Amino acid sequence: MSVSIAAAADRSVRAPLPVLGRDVTVPLVTGGTVPYAALDYAASAPALQRVWDDVAAYAPYYGSVHRGAGYLSQLSTDLFENARRTVAEFLGCRAEDQVVFTRSTTDSLNLLARALPAGCRVFVFETEHHASLLPWRDARVTYLDAPRTPEQAVATLERALADREPGRPDGEHPEGPALVCVTGASNVTGELWPVRELAAVAHAHGARIVLDAAQLAPHHPVSVTDLDVDWVAFSGHKLYAPFGAGVLAGRADWLREAEPYLAGGGASRRVGRRADGGVDVEWHQDAARHEAGSPNVIGAYAVASACKALTEAGFDALVARERYLIGRVRAGLAEVPEVRVLSLFGDDAPRVGVISFVVEGWNSSHFAAALSAEYGIGVRDGLFCAHPLVRTLLGGDPQAQGECGAPEAAPGERSLNAVRVSFGAGTPDEHVERFVTAVRELVRDGAKWRYRTEDGRCVPAV
C-alpha cells in the first residue's frame, strides 16, 4: 500500500499542468520539425489551459464594467470585482488592503512610485529587475550594493536604515517616510530573497516594504500577511494568464492620498465646472481611484483564474516538481565544464526555475540562437532587464567571442550577456531533457549551422 501511494504521489509531482502551446511544432534549420520547448517562462509563461477555457466561456458575455445598466455589464462588473476578491485571497491580503488591477509589475511599481508621500526615501538593491529599480528615480533613492548572501542582504538594509536619524517615540521619523523595494525571486538567478527578514528590518526602522513578486508568485505561495509586506506587485503574463493585466495589492492609505495614477472616467466620483471656468474633481477613495478608463476585465479574470488553478493544484506539489526539474537542469549543466551558472548567494541557495549561465567559447546570443534553430528550444539571452546585476555576476570580464555579438552591447562589453533557461508548472520533463542534451552537444560538437547578426540578433545564415 505504501509503495503504491508513494508512486501515485511521485506521478502527481511529475505531471505538468496543461498549458497552451504544448502541441505546437516548429521547423528546424537542419530540416524537419519538433515540438516547441518553451523554456522562457521568466519572460512570459504559456497560458494555462484552464485560464484559456475560463476566458473563452466568459467571452460571449463580455460587457462594460461599472457603468452599464444592461445584464452583460452587470455580469461583467460582478466578475471583475469577484476577480479582485480572488486575487486578495490568493495573496493573503489583510481585510483593509486594496487590490488594484494594472497592466503589469512594471505598471504597478510605477503607480506606487507616483503615490509616494512627499520626502519619501526609497531603498533598493542594485540587483533588482529594471521594473523595480527604475520607477523611483524621481524620489530620494539609496541604491544598495549587491549582497552575496541572504544574511548580508538583511545586514546591508539594516545599516542603510540605521544611518537615518533615529525616530521619535511617536513612531514618526524626522527624515520622513521610507520605502524598501525588494524582489522575491531573482529573474536572473532564480534565487529566493529573505523577504520576511527584510520586512522585519524595514518595519523596525519605521519603513514600509513592497515586494516584486513577478518571479515568485508563479512558483511559490505569496502571502502579504505571512511575509508582513506592505505591498506586493506581480504580472498576469508570468502567472500563466495572458491579456495584459497586473496587480498592486496592499495598504490603502498612500494610494488613497495620492493623486490618481491616470486621470479620467472611473477614477472620478464627481466632476463639475467652477465659476472661474476650471473643473472640480472628487476622486474615488477605493481601488477605482487608480483604475481610470475601461477596466481590462478579461485580463483581471484571467489572473483570477490562474490564481484559482495554482491554488487548486497545490503549491506543495508544484514546488516539489519544480525542485526536481531544477535539480535535473543543474546536474546536466554541471556535467559540462565549459558552462558557468550565475549565482549571487551560492549553489545551495533555494531558488525557483530560473537559471542563467555562460558558456566558454560562445557568445550567449549565438548559443541561444543555436538552441532555437537546431533544437526547437526557446530560451532568453542578454542582460534580462537587470543590467547592473548581470554585469556584477559576470564581473565585467570579457568571454571569448562566438560568431554573433551581444545585442545592444556597449563597446568593450560585447560578451557581457548570458543565457537564461526558465520553466514552471507547465514544463514537460522532455523539454528539460532536450535542453540538457542540446547544451552538451553544442559544447562538444559545435553548431551545425552558420549564424550571423541581423538587427542586433543572432540568426541562422541563409
Side-chain angles (χ1 to χ4, degrees):
M1 176 69 72
S2 59
V3 173
S4 63
I5 291 176
D10 186 65
R11 283 196 298 272
S12 69
V13 167
R14 300 291 175 87
L17 294 182
V19 294
L20 297 184
R22 58 191 181 276
D23 299 324
V24 170
T25 59
V26 295
L28 300 181
V29 71
T30 52
T33 61
V34 67
Y36 183 64
L39 295 179
D40 194 15
Y41 276 48
S44 283
L48 286 174
Q49 184 69 55
R50 155 78 173 273
V51 171
W52 192 261
D53 292 344
D54 283 351
V55 168
Y58 161 66
Y61 301 93
Y62 172 77
S64 63
V65 176
H66 291 151
R67 297 182 288 280
Y71 178 80
L72 296 191
S73 292
Q74 294 179 47
L75 186 150
S76 294
T77 297
D78 287 344
L79 183 140
F80 185 70
E81 294 304 330
N82 282 332
R84 199 188 306 276
R85 287 186 283 272
T86 297
V87 171
E89 183 177 352
F90 179 76
L91 293 174
C93 288
R94 300 161 291 246
E96 66 277 11
D97 285 341
Q98 283 187 355
V99 173
V100 180
F101 285 115
T102 65
R103 295 180 298 169
S104 59
T105 307
T106 302
D107 196 36
S108 295
L109 294 172
N110 275 273
L111 189 166
L112 185 60
R114 286 279 297 274
L116 295 179
C120 185
R121 181 177 290 279
V122 179
F123 295 83
V124 57
F125 286 93
E126 67 174 350
T127 48
E128 293 292 310
H129 184 280
H130 294 171
S132 47
L133 184 72
L134 301 180
W136 325 104
R137 290 178 300 155
D138 292 335
R140 297 189 301 157
V141 187
T142 297
Y143 294 104
L144 306 175
D145 292 339
R148 285 300 184 168
T149 66
E151 294 77 15
Q152 189 179 61
V154 175
T156 297
L157 181 62
E158 174 81 47
R159 286 193 300 272
L161 292 173
D163 284 344
R164 304 168 77 219
E165 297 178 17
R168 295 194 295 264
D170 60 9
E172 294 186 4
H173 202 285
E175 282 197 2
L179 177 70
V180 176
C181 179
V182 67
T183 189
S186 171
N187 78 304
V188 176
T189 67
E191 293 163 319
L192 300 179
W193 277 62
V195 177
R196 186 178 288 105
E197 292 81 358
L198 292 168
V201 168
H203 293 152
H205 290 274
R208 296 191 181 189
I209 185 168
V210 57
L211 169 64
D212 174 353
Q215 300 297 340
L216 183 62
H219 304 275
H220 284 263
V222 174
S223 171
V224 169
T225 302
D226 291 346
L227 293 173
D228 197 22
V229 295
D230 298 280
W231 292 276
V232 60
F234 72 88
S235 296
H237 71 99
K238 298 185 191 297
L239 196 78
Y240 312 99
F243 307 109
V247 168
L248 176 67
R251 302 199 182 278
D253 53 350
W254 285 9
L255 299 176
R256 188 185 302 120
E257 293 161 10
E259 285 291 305
Y261 184 46
L262 298 172
S268 55
R269 189 173 179 216
R270 291 189 182 89
V271 179
R273 291 291 301 275
R274 296 196 305 263
D276 63 4
V279 175
D280 283 324
V281 183
E282 179 184 344
W283 304 108
H284 279 294
Q285 295 298 301
D286 57 10
R289 185 183 187 90
H290 298 290
E291 293 177 345
S294 295
N296 179 6
V297 58
I298 288 183
Y301 184 45
V303 170
S305 174
C307 290
K308 288 181 179 178
L310 293 174
T311 300
E312 291 169 6
F315 271 105
D316 287 347
L318 296 175
V319 169
R321 181 172 185 278
E322 187 170 303
R323 284 175 180 161
Y324 162 76
L325 295 178
I326 292 170
R328 183 67 194 98
V329 171
R330 288 177 60 82
L333 294 179
E335 294 173 355
V336 183
E338 294 84 353
V339 170
R340 177 165 70 93
V341 173
L342 305 184
S343 176
L344 196 62
F345 296 154
D347 290 342
D348 296 330
R351 66 195 69 228
V352 300
V354 179
I355 299 170
S356 296
F357 61 96
V358 292
V359 184
E360 182 182 346
W362 286 80
N363 181 277
S364 294
S365 62
H366 184 197
F367 200 84
L371 286 172
S372 175
E374 300 178 27
Y375 294 90
I377 299 171
V379 297
R380 182 60 58 98
D381 67 277
L383 299 175
F384 318 126
C385 292
H387 295 186
L389 172 56
V390 176
R391 290 189 176 114
T392 294
L393 294 173
L394 293 179
D397 296 326
Q399 300 291 325
Q401 293 293 303
E403 291 183 42
C404 296
E408 300 180 3
E413 291 190 345
R414 288 179 57 80
S415 60
L416 283 182
N417 60 341
V419 179
R420 183 182 70 190
V421 57
S422 54
F423 41 87
T427 303
D429 291 12
E430 187 276 328
H431 290 184
V432 165
E433 295 302 328
R434 195 195 318 170
F435 168 75
V436 170
T437 299
V439 170
R440 185 185 306 115
E441 290 181 355
L442 283 173
V443 173
R444 183 190 64 205
D445 304 328
K448 300 180 180 69
W449 205 262
R450 292 186 61 256
Y451 295 82
R452 60 187 176 84
T453 300
E454 181 178 292
D455 297 327
R457 297 296 310 168
C458 191
V459 298
V462 295

